[in-house]
Amino acid sequence: MKVNKNPWLLGGALTAIAALSLTACGGSGSNAPAASSSPAAAESSPAAASGGKLTVWVDANREPVLKEAAADFAKQSGVKVDLVIKDFSKIQEDFLRQVPTGKGPDITIGAHDWLGNLVNNGVVQPVELGDKAGEFQDVAVNAMSYEGNTYGVPYATENLALLRNADLVKEAPKTFDDMIAAGEKADTEFPFLVQVSEVGDPFHAYPFQTSFGAPVFGTDESGAYDPADLQIGNEGGIEFAKWLAEEGEEGNLKTSVDGDIAKEKFVSGDSPFFLTGPWNVEAAEDADINLEIDPIPSAGGEDREPAGSYRVPDQLHR
C-alpha cells in the first residue's frame, strides 16, 4: 500500500482521536484520580494508595493499544485498569445515561464532537495537560477543548482521504473531473464512491465544499473559528450547492449509497475510488485490494481547507 503526500492531512475533514481525561460528576464507585491520567498523579491519589481500580470503556479497534498502555499504567501506579469493550456507536448515549447513576466508567473513548453534549449535561470536568500540552498537536488539543477548557488527552488524529484501487486506475487524479473520467474509463459499476444517504453527509462532502472557498465559518486572528463569520452561504457556497445538484443528476453522488454500501462496493472491486477514512482501510486490505491512498481531488478549483480547520473520533475520561 502506498500513501501519497500525507493525504490523511490533506483531506479537509480531520478526526482528532484522543484519550480524553474527563472527570464525571457521577462516579463508578472507584477512588480514581480526578481529571488526570498521568502515572505521577495517580501514584499520589487515593486510588493508588488503596490499590484502586479505573474502569475504561474502549471499542474493539482501540482495545489492543490501550491494553498495553493500561498494563504500563498499572505497573507504575498500582492502580488496576479494567478495559470494557463497547460498541463505539453506543458509547455517548450509554455514558450520558450511566454516569449520573454512578455506574459509568472512569474513562471512555469518544469523539471530540461529543464534548458540547457531555459538558452541557454535566457529566465531565476539564483536565489539565500542564507541561505536557506542547507534546500534542495544537489541532488535536483544540478539538478536545470546549469554551476554553480542555476535556481530553489527545492520542491520535484521523482524516479523510481517497482510497484508490491501483489495479483499476494507475495514477492519482488531480481534480474531481479527472477522477470521474478515470472511474468511467475503468468501466466499473461506480466511477467513484462516497457515502451520501438520503439525508446527505456534510462531513464527507466538506473537502469538496471548501474547494469552492466556502468553509462553514471564517477564522479570527488566532486561527480559531469565528461563529459570527458564517461563510457557507457565500458565493462559493452557492456554487457548491449547484455542483452538488449537478453531480447528483449525473449519478456521481447517489443518495442510495450509505457507508456500508460504499465500503462493500469498493472492496468487491466495483469502483476504483472511495472517499473515506482510515477506519475502512483494513477492510480493503483484507480484500487484497492493491491499495493506494491519495489526497482528495479539488472539485471547485481551490485547495481544500488545511488540516485542522475542520475537526472531528477521540477519547473521553471522566
Side-chain angles (χ1 to χ4, degrees):
M1 179 178 70
K2 180 180 179 183
V3 179
N4 295 324
K5 300 179 181 177
N6 297 318
W8 298 123
L9 298 179
L10 295 174
L14 181 66
T15 297
I17 304 270
L20 299 167
S21 286
L22 308 179
T23 300
C25 294
S28 65
S30 69
N31 294 315
S36 177
S37 63
S38 70
E43 286 171 0
S44 61
S45 71
S50 63
K53 181 180 74 172
L54 291 173
T55 299
V56 183
W57 284 358
V58 301
D59 63 348
N61 291 334
R62 298 182 179 91
E63 190 267 347
V65 174
L66 294 184
K67 187 175 182 180
E68 182 178 346
D72 289 342
F73 179 80
K75 183 177 180 180
Q76 294 181 49
S77 67
V79 178
K80 180 182 177 181
V81 181
D82 183 17
L83 299 181
V84 179
I85 298 179
K86 300 277 289 185
D87 182 338
F88 186 85
S89 66
K90 297 179 180 179
I91 287 178
Q92 181 178 191
E93 178 184 351
D94 289 350
F95 191 81
L96 286 166
R97 184 176 64 250
Q98 293 190 33
V99 166
T101 70
K103 296 181 180 179
D106 299 295
I107 301 170
T108 182
I109 65 166
H112 81 263
D113 53 358
W114 300 355
L115 283 180
N117 194 22
L118 297 179
V119 174
N120 289 328
N121 277 279
V123 295
V124 294
Q125 294 179 2
V127 60
E128 295 292 336
L129 297 179
D131 58 5
K132 297 292 185 180
E135 298 180 18
F136 300 98
Q137 291 181 322
D138 289 342
V139 62
V141 174
N142 289 338
M144 297 316 305
S145 300
Y146 182 78
E147 295 186 342
N149 293 313
T150 300
Y151 289 87
V153 180
Y155 74 90
T157 58
E158 293 178 351
N159 203 5
L160 298 176
L162 187 68
L163 306 191
R164 172 166 52 93
N165 186 330
D167 287 337
L168 298 175
V169 174
K170 302 298 183 184
E171 299 293 334
K174 295 182 179 179
T175 68
F176 181 88
D177 290 341
D178 289 343
M179 178 178 64
I180 297 301
E184 291 175 343
K185 187 176 180 180
D187 196 27
T188 53
E189 181 180 357
F190 299 89
F192 159 72
L193 287 166
V194 62
Q195 70 178 62
V196 179
S197 78
E198 292 293 336
V199 297
D201 194 310
F203 172 67
H204 287 85
Y206 198 72
F208 299 136
Q209 177 183 324
T210 57
S211 75
F212 284 86
V216 175
F217 296 108
T219 55
D220 59 25
E221 294 180 356
S222 69
Y225 287 128
D226 181 358
D229 184 13
L230 187 64
Q231 296 193 13
I232 191 172
N234 63 16
E235 184 177 344
I238 294 172
E239 292 303 313
F240 170 64
K242 292 178 180 178
W243 176 84
L244 282 176
E246 292 169 355
E247 295 304 320
E249 292 176 359
E250 291 291 328
N252 296 324
L253 300 174
K254 294 180 178 290
T255 57
S256 59
V257 176
D258 61 15
D260 290 337
I261 292 174
K263 178 172 68 173
E264 176 186 345
K265 292 296 184 178
F266 182 73
V267 300
S268 62
D270 292 319
S271 178
F273 301 108
F274 182 22
L275 193 163
T276 187
W279 45 88
N280 281 323
V281 168
E282 184 176 1
E285 292 176 332
D286 289 345
D288 292 326
I289 298 290
N290 183 10
L291 189 65
E292 296 201 14
I293 302 175
D294 305 320
I296 299 172
S298 174
E302 296 187 21
D303 289 337
R304 296 157 306 282
E305 193 167 284
S309 51
Y310 183 73
R311 297 176 286 277
V312 191
D314 329 307
Q315 294 210 80
L316 314 174
H317 150 175
R318 73 175 182 83

